[in-house]
Amino acid sequence: MTYCFVPTTRALRIAILVAATNVGTSFAQEKAISKPEISDPQRVTAVPSESAEAAVARFVTECVLITPGKGEFPATFSIGTKDPAAFEIPLKRVSLKQPFRISRFETTQELYTAVVGTNPSRWKGPRNSVENVTFQDAERFCRKLTALLHARELISKQEFVRLPTSVEWEYCCRAGSESRYCFGDDAGDGAGTETLDTFAWHTGNAAGNDPAVGVLKANDWGLCDVHGYLWEYVADEMGQVNPDESGPPVIRGGSWKDHHSRLSCSAWSTIPAESVDDAVGFRCVIAEKPTIKKPPKQ
């Protein structure tokens, strides 16, 4: 699997810098971000930010406002599946009340480097998803990014960056659907995966974890790579997914190392708290309360 960065034209550089400059003008404007249009792999998402400061500001502009109970966002919904495999959540009805913003993309290496100062990833690329991080690394990143955004007045003092809860994650992955994948029940025609291939990197179409974020199709709420690419850390509050609340961190969504059957909306797994993997990363949310629950250290 290969891709090419789009050459950064002068007009494109100006557009990115203007977006970064204007991001702090109004919290209301930040929260009214429109959904991205689906285009070919050589789109703006693959173009690196001009600076560390621009990468941090870009994170805010690349978030989608989710308002459970309003508009297209239901307050009560189903997660899991009726006949779950061993790696899937049983069907249950759950509710969400608190609005939040969630990143369209998994956390990029340029953003992680801008916030933490290092890049532990195996598959290097500024707009690739960061991997080879522990759950604690992801939490530490969220705290540091919160402090940066507060200092630059890019989010309100009442808002925090954190990992999504497992329920929030599946809610956003499904984007209003109740099917196996966000787009339907079938990966393709018969035993094929041609439909899933347009949304997800998995063992059937990925030779390694080296694409930029968001080069495949987004779901109906504008989120990319919710199926495949990397497993994503979540905060599994109150054992919503893993009955063993004292167990290791929960990850969701499957990865480029997994068979397409493991990329369903209800798929989950765990990883030892101190372990890293080049198929595990995370995406962040911005919300008014840091509702994360930390797993115990192994």
Side-chain angles (χ1 to χ4, degrees):
M1 175 175 56
T2 60
Y3 73 98
C4 295
F5 285 121
V6 182
T8 309
T9 64
R10 181 175 183 273
L12 184 53
R13 288 197 298 268
I14 292 172
I16 292 173
L17 288 173
V18 167
T21 301
N22 291 340
V23 68
T25 58
S26 165
F27 294 134
Q29 289 176 353
E30 291 170 7
K31 295 183 179 182
I33 300 165
S34 60
K35 295 177 185 176
E37 293 293 327
I38 301 304
S39 61
D40 61 71
Q42 292 186 333
R43 63 187 191 178
V44 170
T45 182
V47 179
S49 300
E50 290 287 324
S51 65
E53 291 77 13
V56 170
R58 187 176 184 175
F59 163 74
V60 181
T61 69
E62 290 179 342
C63 286
V64 175
L65 176 63
I66 306 296
T67 55
K70 295 181 180 180
E72 63 184 308
F73 306 105
T76 302
F77 52 96
S78 295
I79 62 171
T81 185
K82 185 177 180 180
D83 299 306
F87 56 85
E88 293 180 310
I89 301 167
L91 185 67
K92 65 177 74 174
R93 295 289 286 176
V94 295
S95 296
L96 286 175
K97 297 179 180 179
Q98 181 183 353
F100 58 94
R101 285 180 280 172
I102 186 167
S103 177
R104 291 173 178 165
F105 310 121
E106 294 169 343
T107 301
T108 62
Q109 293 177 30
E110 68 171 12
L111 178 59
Y112 191 89
T113 303
V115 173
V116 178
T118 59
N119 180 7
S121 304
R122 174 186 177 189
W123 305 92
K124 294 293 195 290
R127 291 292 289 176
N128 294 10
S129 296
V130 70
E131 18 85 1
N132 272 342
V133 292
T134 66
F135 183 89
Q136 289 78 15
D137 290 334
E139 283 199 309
R140 189 178 304 113
F141 168 88
C142 290
R143 291 192 296 270
K144 289 187 174 183
L145 180 55
T146 296
L148 279 175
L149 295 177
H150 283 166
R152 297 177 189 178
E153 299 184 346
L154 296 178
I155 61 174
S156 73
K157 292 298 184 182
Q158 289 72 45
E159 292 180 306
F160 298 83
V161 180
R162 59 171 173 80
L163 297 177
T165 67
S166 195
V167 170
E168 288 171 342
W169 185 94
E170 185 165 338
Y171 179 69
C172 292
C173 174
R174 290 185 173 281
S177 71
E178 294 191 357
S179 49
R180 179 169 178 76
Y181 304 103
C182 69
F183 52 82
D185 287 320
D186 299 319
D189 294 331
T193 61
E194 58 271 17
T195 304
L196 178 64
D197 290 349
T198 66
F199 288 86
W201 299 114
H202 56 93
T203 54
N205 67 352
N209 175 21
D210 62 347
V213 294
V215 299
L216 298 181
K217 285 185 178 179
N219 68 13
D220 283 349
W221 291 353
L223 275 64
C224 297
D225 304 315
V226 288
H227 299 297
Y229 196 168
L230 297 182
W231 286 98
E232 299 179 17
Y233 285 118
V234 295
D236 184 29
E237 290 192 316
M238 298 178 291
Q240 284 280 4
V241 176
N242 186 2
D244 181 7
E245 293 185 47
S246 63
V250 172
I251 50 178
R252 301 296 307 271
S255 78
W256 63 274
K257 287 183 176 180
D258 294 290
H259 187 267
H260 71 268
S261 62
R262 291 188 62 88
L263 273 59
S264 68
C265 294
S266 57
W268 71 284
S269 189
T270 61
I271 181 173
E274 300 301 326
S275 293
V276 299
D277 195 289
D278 63 351
V280 178
F282 62 99
R283 79 177 67 216
C284 298
V285 305
I286 301 171
E288 289 195 354
K289 293 182 180 180
T291 55
I292 216 164
K293 180 176 180 179
K294 299 179 182 179
K297 291 184 178 181
Q298 297 287 295

